[in-house]
Structures are given as structure tokens and as C-alpha cells.
Amino acid sequence: MGVIRLLALAAFVAYSRGDLWDVTGHDSAQETAADEHHRGDLRIAFGSCNRHDRAQDLWPAVRSLSPDAWVWLGDAIYADGKVDNVRRYGGRAFHRDAYATQNEHPEYAALRAETRILGTWDDHDYGFNNAGAEWREKEFAQRLFLDFLGEPRGSPRRTRAGVYEAYTFRGLGASGTGSARLILLDLRFHASARDGTLLGDAQWEWFERLMVGRRRTNARGADEGADEGADEGAD
């Protein structure tokens, strides 16, 4: 579970277009005086293992940060639970209603109204404890999860086998030319302990293209130092 949680975020890659910066927007080569009002260029809040059916007192603290995005790292809701000490899937109606319940939490609803909501899933919002590629409800679960995130109907994410996605945040740093990338992997849809599969071929190829890419050369064969994956991913 810990490995899944760590890999769910996968990578938060900050890369520069001419200046050196960190994700708070500070010049990483200089000391910056403490300022309680300093916010930085980019602020991302994230969390996981959220019980939709219980009181939630975390959202005022999250909202007080004024994040540019809230990122779910898995288990935004629990679609399964124990009945007579046996863990069971709650069923499609329960699964759908769990997301509705979460969206109706007043403080979370307020966060949604003022902040971008992004995320990936883990086993319980996927549908069942430790479920992987064998999960019979995975296509249904994907539709529900993307609806919960407010993913547009025409999004490429709607046609993929899995909920993986990448986001690029631009206009950062002192010069406004810096950018940062958030990569969210899906470690459930293709996972199989039987053969050691984790991401599946298509997701591995997509991830490799984002992280490595191919360096371009100009007409004279000089290296331009840009990879083809640099501009992939939603803004």
C-alpha cells in the first residue's frame, strides 16, 4: 500500500526555460527573506485515504492554503467495506452514491468551487481492496471517477485504459518562463501480481515519452535540447 501511494504521484517534475527556480517560486540560488504573505508561484495540496462517510475537518485547513490545485492520490472514497467481517464491494449504486456524498460535504464543495481538482485512484475508489486488472467493475469505476473529477466528456482520459494523466503548469519563476509537470499514474487498472504487470504497455510507453522523450535536432544536426514529451499533458 505504501509503495502504491508513493508511486501514485509518480513524478512532479520542475524544469526551467532559461532561469533557475523552485516550486515555491523562490530563486534557488539566493536566500529569500521569510514573508508570511509570500505564496510562491505554484502551490499544490494533496491527500488520500478519505472516508466519505465520516466527518471531514481537513477542508478548512486545505482551503486556507489557497492551493492552485487539490490532488487526490487515491481512495477519495471507499466503495467497499466489511459486512459480517467479510470485505465486499458495495455495488454500483453505493459506489456512485459515495462520490455524491463526498461532493456534498460543504467545505469540500467550497474547495471545488475555488480550486482545480485533479487526481488518480487507489484500490478503494477503484472498487475493492487490493484489486487490480482482474476487477470486473473497472470500466464502470473509471467512468465514475472521471465524473467525480469533472473530467470533460471529450477528454482523451475518457478513452484510455486507466486514469493516468499529466498536467503542465506554466508561467512560473521570476521570468515567467518556468514550468512544472505533475504526472499521475494508474497503478490499479493493469496491475497483476501473477505476472508482475504494474502499468501496462501503453501506460509505460506514455510515461517514458513524458520522462525521456526524443531530443530534437535542427536542419544542421545541432541538438536543440528539447524533448518531444515536454509539451504533452493537459495544461
Side-chain angles (χ1 to χ4, degrees), residues 119-234:
T120 188
W121 57 16
D122 199 14
D123 51 348
H124 297 290
D125 39 6
Y126 185 53
F128 193 75
N129 188 50
N130 294 329
E134 79 289 349
W135 180 230
R136 67 184 184 274
E137 298 286 4
K138 60 184 182 180
E139 287 86 5
F140 173 75
Q142 179 168 342
R143 291 196 299 273
L144 288 188
F145 182 71
L146 296 180
D147 288 347
F148 171 65
L149 293 181
E151 194 74 23
R153 292 296 175 186
S155 168
R157 209 176 184 190
R158 295 277 186 180
T159 61
R160 292 176 185 153
V163 300
Y164 56 94
E165 184 57 284
Y167 300 90
T168 303
F169 299 85
R170 307 181 190 279
L172 307 176
S175 68
T177 58
S179 55
R181 170 166 291 161
L182 174 70
I183 301 174
L184 298 170
L185 299 180
D186 183 332
L187 303 181
R188 289 296 169 186
F189 201 94
H190 299 282
S192 173
R194 184 169 54 250
D195 60 13
T197 298
L198 187 61
L199 302 183
D201 291 342
Q203 187 176 182
W204 267 119
E205 292 172 3
W206 172 87
F207 185 40
E208 182 178 21
R209 189 166 64 249
L210 286 176
M211 298 301 294
V212 180
R214 291 198 302 268
R215 298 184 71 81
R216 296 196 300 263
T217 57
N218 61 27
R220 292 177 292 181
D223 190 346
E224 294 182 339
D227 64 89
E228 71 168 8
D231 291 320
E232 293 191 12

Side-chain angles (χ1 to χ4, degrees), residues 21-28 32 38-43 172-173:
W21 59 281
D22 65 21
V23 294
T24 65
H26 295 163
D27 184 339
S28 59
T32 303
H38 178 77
R39 186 185 177 283
D41 284 353
L42 179 63
R43 179 172 292 179
L172 307 176

Side-chain angles (χ1 to χ4, degrees), residues 27-50:
D27 184 339
S28 59
Q30 300 178 9
E31 292 287 336
T32 303
D35 180 351
E36 63 180 357
H37 300 295
H38 178 77
R39 186 185 177 283
D41 284 353
L42 179 63
R43 179 172 292 179
I44 292 182
F46 54 90
S48 63
C49 304
N50 175 66

Side-chain angles (χ1 to χ4, degrees), residues 39 43-45 60-69 111 114-115:
R39 186 185 177 283
R43 179 172 292 179
I44 292 182
V62 173
R63 292 181 63 205
S64 73
L65 298 173
S66 299
D68 294 293
L111 179 70
E114 62 196 19
T115 306

